[in-house]
Amino acid sequence: MTLTNIVARWPGSTHDSFILTHSSVGNRLNAGAVRDGWLLGDSGYPLRRWLLTPFLNPQSAEETHYNEVHSRARAVVERAIGILKCRWRALDASGGRLLYHPAKVCKIVRACGVLHNIALRNGIPLPPDLPLPQHYDPEPQPPGRQEGYQRGARIREDVMRRL
């Protein structure tokens, strides 16, 4: 649950896919500069060779199994974000708002990410009796098929068969 990349340039309401598209990670992946892994996205993301998404309507036991494994892996990411927001309540809507200039808010978000990693590395527990952060994640809408879909579909099939 260690955070390895934090993009803090847009408001919290900005969709994840927009942030990925405009991040250095997204740009490097699109350019083919990273070849040793994949990112996991929900069904709101377009399928790419480097971005694995679930099957929308699984048609086989293999596809259902892939979706279950994919969901468990994505849950780790969601849990990490939940812990970050739980530890640093100002990052969650239930803890209030950061009423600073946007540039300062970006620095605060990055600092919270660094402190999150330090807390994990040193086994510092969350404070007891904290309510879970609010998390609104509307049901993602499937994107239209875009360039790279066929290659992404072949790679997803490959990964599914290895599970």
Side-chain angles (χ1 to χ4, degrees):
M1 291 194 298
T2 300
L3 303 176
T4 59
N5 189 282
I6 298 172
V7 178
R9 283 188 262 166
W10 294 281
S13 61
T14 306
H15 195 275
D16 298 350
S17 62
F18 175 87
I19 294 170
L20 177 61
T21 300
H22 294 88
S23 71
S24 62
V25 170
N27 290 331
R28 290 185 67 224
L29 290 165
N30 265 332
V34 179
R35 299 179 187 268
D36 61 348
W38 302 281
L39 291 183
L40 300 178
D42 60 34
S43 58
Y45 284 93
L47 188 59
R48 303 257 192 239
R49 63 180 156 64
W50 47 265
L51 179 64
L52 299 178
T53 61
F55 288 93
L56 291 178
N57 298 303
Q59 302 295 310
S60 67
E62 278 183 316
E63 289 179 359
T64 299
H65 178 67
Y66 168 89
N67 279 3
E68 290 167 356
V69 172
H70 183 278
S71 178
R72 284 195 308 267
R74 275 194 40 83
V76 174
V77 174
E78 297 300 328
R79 208 166 46 248
I81 293 167
I83 289 172
L84 173 73
K85 289 180 176 182
C86 199
R87 191 179 300 276
W88 311 107
R89 298 306 292 186
L91 299 182
D92 186 64
S94 68
R97 301 276 187 224
L98 291 170
L99 302 175
Y100 298 101
H101 187 274
K104 186 170 189 167
V105 170
C106 292
K107 290 178 182 176
I108 291 170
V109 169
R110 287 192 300 268
C112 288
V114 170
L115 292 170
H116 164 85
N117 287 345
I118 291 170
L120 285 178
R121 193 175 314 121
N122 291 292
I124 299 170
L126 288 171
D129 302 326
L130 279 178
L132 293 176
Q134 293 176 0
H135 182 68
Y136 175 70
D137 194 10
E139 189 62 32
Q141 298 300 311
R145 291 190 176 187
Q146 298 177 1
E147 180 183 336
Y149 177 86
Q150 292 300 325
R151 187 167 181 202
R154 283 192 306 273
I155 290 170
R156 180 174 64 184
E157 294 281 331
D158 237 14
V159 171
M160 176 191 69
R161 286 190 181 91
R162 291 184 212 174
L163 294 177

